[in-house]
Amino acid sequence: MSGRDVRPSPEALLKEAARESGRGRLKIFLGAAPGVGKTYEMLSSGQARRHDGVDVVVGVVETHGRAETACLLEGLDVLPRRQIDYKGQTLEEMDLDGLLARRPALALVDELAHSNAPGSRHPKRYMDVEELLAAGIDVWTTLNIQHVESLNDVVARITRIRVRETVPDGVLDRADEIEVVDLTPDDLMQRLRGGKVYVPHTAARALDHYFSPGNLTALRELALRRTAQRVDAQLLDHMQAHAISGPWAAGERVLVCVAGTGSGPALVRYGRRVAERLRAPWTALHVETASRAELSEATRTNIADALRLAERLGAEAVTIPGHDVPGDILAYARERNFSHLVVGRPTRTGPFGWLRSSFATALIDRAGDIPVHVVGGGDPRTARAPAPPAARDVRPWPYVASTCIVAAAVLVGLGLQLVLTVSNISLVFLTAVLVTAATFGLWPSLYACMISVLAYNFFFLPPVYTFTIADPENVVALFFFLVAALIAGNLAAGMRAQALAARGRAGTTEELYRFSRKLAGILDMDDLLWATAYQVATMLKVRVVLLLPEGEHRGEGLAVRAGYPPEDELDPADLAAASWCWKNNREAGRGADTLPGAPRLFLPLRTGSGPVGVLGIDREGPVTDTTRPLLPPDQRRLLDALADQAAVAIERVNLAADVDRTRLLAETERLRSALLTSISHDLRTPLAAILGAASGLESYHALLDEAGRRDLLATIRDEAERLNRFVGNLLDMTRLESGALAPRMEAADLGEMVGAALARAGRVLADHRVEMDLAPDLPLLKIDPVLFEQVLFNLLDNAAKYAPEGSTVMLRAWHETLPGTERQRMERLVRLQVIDEGPGLPEDALERVFDKFHRIAGGDRQRAGTGLGLAICRGFVEAMGGSVSASNRRDRSGAVFTVTLPAHPASADMPVRTTAEDPPA
């Protein structure tokens, strides 16, 4: 790292600043299993801190009946627990508010993964601990390794027991100290047999299942490894915050340096073996330089294959930009504390290969005390031959332009020859070389350098207009001019290549940013898939197809959902590759290891919860070699980034759909419960009346007089009609919700409809007065007479329920057009109002009265129904092209229900009232 600018890492400095910002410090006593002595060790350390004069308070400690643990509480300030009533039981929880008010220097909080009782401020105890830390209180707590979220599945596979209470890994990562409380399996099992962990019956069962020697050994290793990871991260943060170049060999880390040679896969496999022997994490690193554009397609493919192989073998594959490859590798290694470097031995080819410096030698010379493993290419009989350099696209225009620039420099030099010496005129040609290098790159700049030397010699060095050099000093000047021009041109061309590469990366980053913003604003799945297909196709110049699983639970096979250009179906080979990709969560198809004969390459769109779809790509034209990668490495990384963004967006839309589906199911369940409640009460009431009247008529027929028998028969008839109305409402609502309602529209007279409805509702309105105010010039209605009669009956029945006995129920009707407009006569409207003298409607219920199962308190409770009558009214009226609304009377208490329906075209010649105001209620 010598010669480099060594500065602290900003991220590490921010972490240290956060620890010094008044936040409390967290120490976790971590154990592999229950009973290892975590609580005992925490209390022992707490007693030691108390003797040192620290204010220590026990927030909550569970002794589980262990006498030796309970003894350690003596002398400590134990905060009383908070009592919570839950379902008739009294639960005890840590008093978080009391602890915050007491504000000790150190709080002891046992069982970090504990779930708090319902009604607590936080559902989990670790959230209570976060609040204590934010208040500046130091916290000591205990945790078992099986409660760490990321290890939950691992522990379940080991012990065959799923732990439900977990703690996020971030809590463990943010801990300032972790103390592993360890106990050998034999000692822990002896404690179990002695009754020091569980009661004898529970201990015997635990020994037979959870606490086996193999389980305890595996859990012990998990605890030690997880702690080692946290300690390694703390060491890395410390080195970066204090600009320590390292490496500190406190832990082993392996870095494999991937170059463009054919030995890349062998290099990766060797690095994997080294990391496995050392039981160390490892990373595969490739440094991308400005000369990447000059690499052949085969070389770039070798690099991509090696990085993908490293990922499959469990490494982290990293690509970084740079220009000094050995220096960049060493800077990366020292910054991240890598203790071993693995590099390949470069092969020197060509007649001047011996002149080139060895990359491995340069790395060894500058590595200092970091061990460097130099790996050969394996068996020379099977090693891949070095790839030839990439064929350059030789275009004449840059060289013609370079010639013109040098010619312009000659003209400028001839003009300046009168005032400048010959040596100064060489700067004009040097400028021309720099302009050419910055504009056209390396090779045109080298061409400009050569013709500049010739032009400088021909026009300005005596004897002029010849290529002869008479003065030896001019030979030296010309030589150094050539060297300066070559160096300057090379540097300028390198800067140009780096600028172009940076511009390309910036453009790609900008495209990805715009794509992510576009996805964030899309809520519809079809729009999301179309945007993804279009973005991938335009950025990578490929054809795209997107497949998503079918079925409600997304498990009934794949279906094509989007494509660019639009694609509706796949051939059998593509479909087989896509299905394999979906089932195995791995890429398949062209250029992949599985089903390489398929025309397309298929990649799984996956998130942390699994695959959500499949993305397929291919290029136009015939397929010549299905084993070669479809995309170069840089485009493949771009495809992976686009696929990751699309997968997250698809999962977001799926989650939103699942939430809507869950909400709909909850609403359906609520309505079903309301229906069952209604049926259990409102349908049982008329049934009970019918059964009671029928039983009385049967049992006491001979004792009853004629009037008594008629009363019982009338009760049976009335309650049967009431029951029939309830069942009819349920059937009508079922027809509405299923979409099976098809009105049979015809011309009908409103007066006849009102008369029929009043006759049907005669018994319902027997205790009320009915008044009618129907305009004499009403046109015919375009309605379904059966449905409209049911609407009128439901409105009259509703008025009879809520209006007191002896009150008046009024029906009023008129027809009108909209004011101030020239409307066609067929669009005339007829309004019908049903007005009662009941208590009226609450202002906030004027719309909700038409909801299913919605009832308003008040009125005659004996006549309460299922709460479907008004909902059916709205459904029937809207099916007939009309509308219904509710309001209150203005002159007195009472409700007004207004039905608006279109007039029949056959009434076109009838006179029309042209006011839109309702008559006063």
Side-chain angles (χ1 to χ4, degrees), residues 681-694 710-728 763-764 793 797 860-865:
H681 179 269
D682 296 312
L683 299 188
R684 187 180 300 170
T685 300
L687 282 175
I690 293 172
L691 291 174
R710 282 198 302 269
D711 289 342
L712 290 177
L713 289 173
T715 299
I716 293 174
R717 182 190 59 204
D718 293 342
E719 295 301 326
E721 290 178 353
R722 179 182 172 188
L723 181 61
N724 183 61
R725 290 196 300 272
F726 290 166
V727 174
R763 294 183 179 278
V764 175
F793 179 83
D797 181 56
D860 188 355
R861 291 288 184 177
Q862 298 300 321
R863 289 182 176 271

Side-chain angles (χ1 to χ4, degrees), residues 328-344:
D328 293 326
I329 290 175
L330 290 174
Y332 185 88
R334 290 187 169 117
E335 182 182 354
R336 288 161 179 79
N337 204 32
F338 282 96
S339 55
H340 293 266
L341 300 180
V342 178
V343 299

Side-chain angles (χ1 to χ4, degrees), residues 490-748:
N490 192 26
L491 291 176
M495 293 297 294
R496 176 180 179 272
Q498 291 184 8
L500 291 176
R503 188 183 306 165
R505 286 192 293 267
T508 301
T509 304
E510 180 66 20
E511 287 287 338
L512 290 173
Y513 173 69
R514 284 201 295 265
F515 181 52
S516 64
R517 291 196 62 182
K518 183 190 300 182
L519 294 183
I522 297 178
L523 300 178
D524 182 73
M525 180 63 75
D526 291 333
D527 294 341
L528 171 63
L529 297 177
W530 168 253
T532 300
Y534 177 78
Q535 188 75 22
V536 175
T538 53
M539 291 189 69
L540 299 178
K541 303 300 185 291
V542 294
R543 295 186 299 185
V544 182
V545 63
L546 285 163
L547 300 93
L548 261 61
E550 293 182 303
E552 181 179 355
H553 301 287
R554 309 183 184 101
E556 301 177 6
L558 294 173
V560 177
R561 292 289 301 274
Y564 189 86
E567 187 91 26
D568 293 331
E569 58 184 20
L570 301 176
D571 59 33
D574 276 338
L575 193 57
S579 299
W580 191 94
C581 173
W582 167 255
K583 293 177 182 177
N584 296 274
N585 198 18
R586 291 172 53 191
E587 66 179 45
R590 179 178 172 183
D593 297 333
T594 304
L595 303 175
R600 287 182 172 87
L601 170 66
F602 292 94
L603 293 88
L605 300 173
R606 53 192 169 207
T607 62
S609 58
V612 296
V614 173
L615 170 68
I617 62 170
D618 71 328
R619 294 190 184 276
E620 296 184 358
V623 179
T624 57
D625 186 4
T626 58
T627 61
R628 295 190 61 186
L630 187 63
L631 298 174
D634 54 344
Q635 292 190 0
R636 177 55 192 267
R637 289 197 300 272
L638 178 58
L639 176 63
D640 291 339
L642 292 170
D644 290 341
Q645 290 188 6
V648 172
I650 291 173
E651 185 178 48
R652 173 179 56 81
V653 174
N654 284 337
L655 289 176
D658 291 340
V659 169
D660 292 340
R661 190 179 299 110
T662 302
R663 187 183 296 114
L664 179 60
L665 291 175
E667 180 65 17
T668 303
E669 185 63 28
R670 186 188 68 81
L671 294 178
R672 184 182 294 111
S673 300
L675 177 61
L676 292 175
T677 302
S678 176
I679 291 176
S680 65
H681 179 269
D682 296 312
L683 299 188
R684 187 180 300 170
T685 300
L687 282 175
I690 293 172
L691 291 174
S695 299
L697 189 62
E698 180 183 13
S699 302
Y700 305 103
H701 183 272
L703 300 178
L704 294 173
D705 56 10
E706 187 64 24
R709 287 194 291 270
R710 282 198 302 269
D711 289 342
L712 290 177
L713 289 173
T715 299
I716 293 174
R717 182 190 59 204
D718 293 342
E719 295 301 326
E721 290 178 353
R722 179 182 172 188
L723 181 61
N724 183 61
R725 290 196 300 272
F726 290 166
V727 174
N729 283 340
L730 291 174
L731 294 177
D732 289 340
M733 184 54 63
T734 303
R735 291 167 62 198
L736 282 172
E737 291 187 337
S738 64
L741 184 67
R744 301 179 63 180
M745 309 296 285
E746 59 184 62

Side-chain angles (χ1 to χ4, degrees), residues 214-475:
N215 289 354
L216 294 176
T217 301
L219 293 175
R220 192 181 181 197
E221 182 177 1
L222 280 178
L224 294 173
R225 282 186 175 275
R226 188 61 181 84
T227 305
Q229 291 176 8
R230 176 62 187 130
V231 172
D232 185 67
Q234 287 179 322
L235 175 62
L236 188 58
D237 288 341
H238 174 79
M239 295 177 64
Q240 292 177 350
H242 294 82
I244 299 173
S245 60
W248 285 359
E252 304 291 351
R253 300 167 70 91
V254 179
L255 181 64
V256 179
C257 308
V258 176
T261 61
S263 62
L267 191 69
V268 168
R269 294 188 185 96
Y270 179 83
R272 163 66 177 172
R273 293 194 297 270
V274 172
E276 196 164 294
R277 285 197 301 268
L278 298 174
R279 294 181 175 270
W282 62 299
T283 299
L285 176 68
H286 171 65
V287 180
E288 188 177 89
T289 63
S291 61
R292 181 187 179 283
E294 302 178 6
L295 298 178
S296 66
E297 185 70 24
T299 302
R300 291 198 291 266
T301 300
N302 290 339
I303 296 172
D305 290 343
L307 293 176
R308 282 199 294 270
L309 176 62
E311 287 182 332
R312 289 200 297 269
L313 295 179
E316 178 187 8
V318 178
T319 300
I320 61 173
H323 61 281
D324 178 15
V325 177
D328 293 326
I329 290 175
L330 290 174
Y332 185 88
R334 290 187 169 117
E335 182 182 354
R336 288 161 179 79
N337 204 32
F338 282 96
S339 55
H340 293 266
L341 300 180
V342 178
V343 299
R345 184 179 61 203
T347 56
R348 296 175 175 177
T349 58
F352 300 100
W354 60 275
L355 293 175
R356 292 196 297 267
S357 62
S358 168
F359 159 71
T361 303
L363 195 63
I364 293 172
D365 292 340
R366 300 164 62 178
D369 54 354
I370 303 179
V372 179
H373 303 250
V374 181
V375 182
D379 189 351
R381 294 171 299 176
T382 60
R384 186 185 302 177
R392 297 186 180 89
D393 183 15
V394 180
R395 296 175 299 168
W397 161 245
Y399 297 93
V400 172
S402 301
T403 304
C404 294
I405 292 174
V406 174
V410 171
L411 296 177
V412 172
L414 292 174
L416 296 176
Q417 189 176 17
L418 301 176
V419 295
L420 297 178
T421 62
V422 173
S423 60
N424 291 330
I425 293 176
S426 63
L427 299 178
V428 176
F429 290 94
L430 188 60
T431 303
V433 173
L434 291 175
V435 171
T436 304
T439 307
F440 302 110
L442 177 61
W443 293 103
S445 70
L446 295 179
Y447 168 76
C449 179
M450 299 307 300
I451 63 174
S452 295
V453 169
L454 295 176
Y456 180 54
N457 180 20
F458 187 80
F459 289 100
F460 298 101
L461 293 181
V464 295
Y465 308 122
T466 66
F467 292 104
T468 304
I469 303 176
D471 191 349
E473 291 184 0
N474 291 335
V475 174

